Amino acid sequence: MTEQETSTAEHPFPLVIGVTSAPAERIRLTELLDGVAPLLLVADLDELRRLLATPGTPPADLATPPPATPAPPPPDDTLVIDAARSVARWGDREIVLTRLERDLLACLTTEPVRVWTYAELHRSVWHDEGLQDKADVQSLVKRLRRKLDQLGTGVTVVAVRGVGLRLTDHRRPRAQGTGHSPGGR
C-alpha cells in the first residue's frame, strides 16, 4: 500500500448522496453543500443502486439499464438553458443568468409550456409561500427580457392579462429547458 492509499484508508473523505428527481432541488442542494464535500445527485433509489452495484454483477432485482445514447445537439434555432452553468445559449451566443433568472426561465420552459401565475412563480423561484409580490416578478422579467433580446432570439416572456406569465416565441424556434419541474412542488 502506498502512502496515499494508507492516508485515504485512515481518513476516508465524506461523500454526500442526494436523491431527488427535481432539478430545482438538485440546484438548491448543490448551492447549500458547495465546498462541504463531494456531492453525488441521483434521480431515484434505482439509479443509486445501479451506481453502487459491483461492475459485472448487477443486483438480481434490477434489470441492466439500456446503454445511454448521447442526445443529438439541439438545432441552432433552439434556446438552451444550461442550469449547471447558469447560462442561456442561442446558436453560438451565450448569456450569463443570475440564479433567479435561471430559475424563472426554467419554470417558463418546462413542458408543456404554459401560463404561470405570479404566486406559482414566486414559490418556484424565490421558494417562499407567503409573499406574492408582482413587482419582484415583473422586475426579474424585465431583466430577463433584455438578456433574451441580447441573444437575438424571438423568445420572450409575455404577460397574460389577469393570469400570469408565459414564454412566447415570436419566430417559432423551440425553447429547450432542463426538462424538469422547478421547485419540486
Side-chain angles (χ1 to χ4, degrees), residues 82-147:
D82 184 342
R85 293 180 46 231
S86 222
V87 297
R89 186 173 58 251
W90 173 266
D92 61 348
R93 299 177 73 190
E94 280 187 351
I95 54 168
V96 176
L97 302 170
T98 66
R99 181 193 66 79
L100 293 175
E101 292 166 344
R102 179 198 63 213
D103 289 354
L104 176 64
L105 202 49
C107 286
L108 296 173
T109 58
T110 55
E111 293 294 331
V113 174
R114 66 180 181 90
V115 177
W116 286 73
T117 67
Y118 287 97
E120 289 174 321
L121 289 170
H122 228 285
R123 278 191 302 273
S124 296
V125 176
W126 281 269
H127 306 291
D128 52 19
E129 299 291 332
L131 299 175
Q132 296 179 14
D133 189 6
K134 280 184 170 180
D136 291 344
V137 177
Q138 290 168 337
S139 175
L140 182 60
V141 166
K142 185 176 179 180
R143 291 192 315 264
L144 187 57
R145 283 179 180 146
R146 236 180 282 142
K147 287 188 175 185

Side-chain angles (χ1 to χ4, degrees), residues 104-105 108 141 144-145 148 155-159 165-168:
L104 176 64
L105 202 49
L108 296 173
V141 166
L144 187 57
R145 283 179 180 146
L148 290 172
V155 177
T156 191
V157 181
V158 295
L165 299 167
R166 71 180 168 93
L167 200 64
T168 298

Side-chain angles (χ1 to χ4, degrees), residues 20-26 28 107 116 123-125 127 129 180-185:
T20 178
S21 60
E25 288 301 315
R26 289 176 178 219
R28 200 163 133 226
C107 286
W116 286 73
R123 278 191 302 273
S124 296
V125 176
H127 306 291
E129 299 291 332
H180 60 275
S181 174
R185 294 182 185 156

